[in-house]
């Protein structure tokens, strides 16, 4: 199911690279000659509206919503529901289940990265959105293609360092 996230983030990155985030920036009034050939840049509201309705922003917003959904309610996440209803019934029962905390932490890391990219994009920071979506795409690609969960590894490193609590033994 990570391949769907990879595809969404790849398309969001491509649109972010071709959208408002990477366009040349103009600021305020520019007068080439006094009172002649004056050009006006759009108001800050128009610039914000242009940033909000950018296709790359909207696709990244969808990815952010999916990351948030995965962090807050993994059992109702669309990819989880698809797996439970379509894939799991066709598989033999698993011998053991993976600890859900590292993948959930990885979803939180993805949420943080694309969330920061969205906020910086709205604040007008050039290239923030494509860089954030590309970073999230890279991590999701590692997970989908090679089975290497970068966020899970960060979780385990933080657990070893004592930053995140260890599981309690009964």
């Amino acid at each position: 199911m990570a391949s769907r996230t990879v595809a969404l983030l790849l398309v969001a990155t491509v649109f972010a690279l071709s959208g408002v985030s990477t366009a040349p920036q103009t600021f305020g009034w520019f007068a080439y000659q006094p009172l002649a050939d004056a050009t006006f840049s759009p108001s800050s509201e128009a610039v914000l509206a242009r940033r909000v309705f950018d296709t790359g922003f909207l696709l990244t917003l969808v990815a952010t919503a999916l990351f948030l959904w995965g962090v807050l309610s993994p059992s109702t996440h669309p990819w989880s529901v698809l797996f439970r209803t379509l894939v799991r019934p066709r598989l033999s029962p698993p011998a053991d289940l993976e600890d859900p905390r590292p993948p959930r932490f990885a979803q939180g890391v993805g949420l943080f990265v694309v969330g920061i990219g969205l906020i910086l994009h709205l604040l007008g920071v050039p290239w923030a959105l494509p860089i954030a979506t590309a970073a999230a795409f890279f991590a999701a690609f590692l997970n989908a293609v090679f089975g290497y969960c970068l966020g899970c590894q960060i979780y385990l490193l933080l657990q070893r360092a004592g930053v995140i609590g260890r599981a309690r033994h009964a």
Side-chain angles (χ1 to χ4, degrees), residues 33-108:
Q33 295 175 353
L35 302 176
D37 290 335
T39 59
F40 178 70
S41 295
S43 68
S44 60
E45 292 85 13
V47 171
L48 182 62
R50 189 171 168 219
R51 288 185 169 281
V52 167
F53 292 112
D54 180 40
T55 307
F57 176 82
L58 294 173
L59 287 171
T60 307
L61 198 60
V62 170
T64 305
L66 289 172
F67 283 133
L68 183 63
W69 199 345
V71 169
L72 296 179
S73 179
S75 62
T76 63
H77 191 276
W79 303 160
S80 176
V81 171
L82 279 173
F83 179 78
R84 277 196 321 272
T85 57
L86 299 177
V87 178
R88 169 123 330 137
R90 291 172 175 75
L91 300 174
S92 60
D96 57 342
L97 294 175
E98 178 183 9
D99 182 12
R101 292 177 296 173
R104 196 171 190 182
F105 179 82
Q107 288 281 324

Side-chain angles (χ1 to χ4, degrees), residues 122-140:
L122 289 177
L123 291 174
V125 177
W127 292 89
L129 189 63
I131 289 171
T133 57
F137 165 76
F138 177 72

Side-chain angles (χ1 to χ4, degrees), residues 25-33 36-41:
Q25 303 293 319
T26 59
F27 302 98
W29 280 92
F30 288 96
Y32 300 107
Q33 295 175 353
D37 290 335
T39 59
F40 178 70
S41 295

Side-chain angles (χ1 to χ4, degrees), residues 9 133-143 150:
L9 287 169
T133 57
F137 165 76
F138 177 72
F141 180 81
L142 284 177
N143 190 18
L150 193 58

